[in-house]
Amino acid sequence: PQYSGAAVSHLRWFPFQLAFMLLTVESVSDTTSAERDVVDLIWFPTGGGKTEAYLWVAALEMILRRLRHGDSGAGTAVIKRYTLRLLTSQQFQRAASLICACERLRTTEKDLGSEPFGLGLWIGGQSSANTFKEAKEQYEDVLDDARPENPFQLQRCPWCGTRIIPEEQEPDPAFYGVRAEHTRFEFYCPSETCPFHERLPVSVVDEEMYLRPPSMLIGTIDKFARLAWDHRASIFFGGHRLPPSLVIQDELHL
């Protein structure tokens, strides 16, 4: 199915995905494993399922940290690094579905800590607002448009598929799955029956991520290059939490 909330009885893993999962279990779960010094490379045709394979590894890492270290294992655990913003946006929705699944699991499992799982999209200002002020201005423009376009990268609820921004202007802001204020920015699913109606665990505004670092950070090369000029980004690398423990370089051939 396209979205996680749909029936999943017919889902199947490809053999190479299962093989990759089994090959990486030791190096992810055993901190003394010699294989942790080895880069795991997935080399497979486009559309073959690479993303799902490494997202499984990411989920394993994020969950193990919390089982072993509690809330100290929260914070940014996984970094996904991309070369192109277009590719980043395309993978963003799929990673968001994974994070929603992790968050649903956390709400039923006490051992996964009190801090929500989260996903952050850390890309250039031309693709996503860097500040609350910019995001609020974009949101107000969207409300005024007769046929609004979504400037916030997350097009649909990653869990149930409901549009975040309606196709045509609506009189009630509740149809717009965005809360944009001077000091915060949040997504929520406009569908009242969705478990993420109150809030979606997804961030696209830099200032929001600096306040609440996501469990998985998706970023582009140009943003990582800015680390030396913006001290706030150090929050992604530990602070009072464990530092990131898994780095994924997607589209390595580029």
Side-chain angles (χ1 to χ4, degrees):
Q2 187 175 6
Y3 298 103
S4 301
V8 295
S9 60
H10 65 281
L11 285 182
R12 298 289 185 273
W13 290 103
F14 293 125
F16 97 88
Q17 293 173 329
L18 294 172
F20 181 76
M21 295 172 192
L22 292 172
L23 284 169
T24 55
V25 164
E26 178 187 337
S27 59
V28 172
S29 60
D30 183 2
T31 58
T32 65
S33 172
E35 292 187 9
R36 292 176 73 88
D37 293 328
V38 178
V39 173
D40 294 293
L41 176 66
I42 306 179
W43 188 270
F44 212 74
T46 300
K50 295 185 296 295
T51 300
E52 288 73 17
Y54 68 63
L55 285 180
W56 181 90
V57 177
L60 177 62
E61 179 63 24
M62 289 186 291
I63 289 172
L64 274 178
R65 282 168 54 113
R66 293 181 181 227
L67 290 175
R68 290 171 172 171
H69 306 288
D71 282 342
S72 294
T76 301
V78 179
I79 290 177
K80 287 180 64 180
R81 183 174 175 270
Y82 281 85
T83 52
L84 300 176
R85 293 176 189 171
L86 175 61
L87 292 169
T88 311
S89 301
Q90 290 172 343
Q91 301 289 358
F92 180 52
Q93 186 89 23
R94 298 158 84 177
S97 295
L98 168 69
I99 293 298
C100 285
C102 290
E103 180 57 14
R104 289 284 286 167
L105 185 63
R106 186 193 67 84
T107 60
T108 60
E109 299 290 338
K110 296 180 180 179
D111 292 340
L112 294 180
S114 60
E115 185 169 325
F117 284 96
L119 174 68
L121 184 66
W122 198 41
I123 56 179
Q126 293 180 344
S127 302
S128 181
N130 290 332
T131 66
F132 291 127
K133 180 176 182 293
E134 293 172 359
K136 187 173 186 298
E137 291 172 351
Q138 290 179 349
Y139 174 61
E140 291 170 349
D141 289 341
V142 166
L143 291 178
D144 290 336
D145 287 344
R147 295 187 63 83
E149 293 187 9
N150 186 344
F152 302 117
Q153 298 299 328
L154 188 68
Q155 301 300 318
R156 294 180 178 272
C157 171
W159 193 254
C160 72
T162 301
R163 291 180 66 93
I164 297 296
I165 302 297
E167 292 185 272
E168 297 183 353
Q169 188 178 36
E170 296 284 353
D172 187 350
F175 287 97
Y176 298 77
V178 172
R179 297 185 188 97
E181 302 174 4
H182 291 293
T183 57
R184 72 167 180 166
F185 179 92
E186 292 179 349
F187 288 111
Y188 67 93
C189 180
S191 172
E192 295 182 357
T193 61
C194 180
F196 294 98
H197 177 59
E198 292 299 321
R199 182 178 181 274
L200 279 162
V202 176
S203 302
V204 296
V205 177
D206 289 13
E207 284 188 333
E208 183 72 31
M209 287 182 275
Y210 297 149
L211 293 174
R212 284 168 282 276
S215 310
M216 179 185 292
L217 180 69
I218 299 179
T220 46
I221 288 176
D222 56 327
K223 295 297 285 191
F224 285 107
R226 289 194 55 79
L227 285 171
W229 288 274
D230 195 335
H231 70 280
R232 296 174 299 174
S234 65
I235 193 70
F236 301 141
F237 295 89
H240 62 288
R241 303 286 175 80
L242 294 175
S245 45
L246 176 64
V247 177
I248 300 169
Q249 171 64 61
D250 208 346
E251 304 294 345
L252 183 63
H253 62 284
L254 295 177

